[in-house]
Amino acid sequence: MNPILRRRLADLGVSEGVNIRLKGKGPFWGPITLECNGQLFAIRRKEASLIEVNMS
């Protein structure tokens, strides 16, 4: 993963073991909106595809 993107996600509170919730999808393969620790943010789908998710 791009180190700049990794740093940006870490600044938003995204790290191993946190819960992330999908809140919305942009039309025509636009950005997706995620929620982490009560904070909403949008990232490109290409970047979101690099996030590994485990369902428990």
Side-chain angles (χ1 to χ4, degrees):
M1 183 182 285
N2 181 336
I4 295 170
L5 174 61
R6 183 184 302 268
R7 173 65 183 198
R8 178 177 173 229
L9 292 174
D11 289 345
L12 292 168
V14 177
S15 62
E16 187 173 339
V18 299
N19 292 324
I20 299 174
R21 194 177 286 229
L22 176 65
K23 299 301 274 187
K25 298 179 189 177
F28 305 110
W29 291 96
I32 63 168
T33 303
L34 303 171
E35 179 183 13
C36 179
N37 298 324
Q39 183 165 342
L40 293 174
F41 59 95
I43 60 174
R44 295 180 188 107
R45 289 182 190 233
K46 180 180 177 183
E47 294 166 344
S49 69
L50 300 173
I51 298 173
E52 292 183 22
V53 177
N54 292 321
M55 305 282 289
S56 56

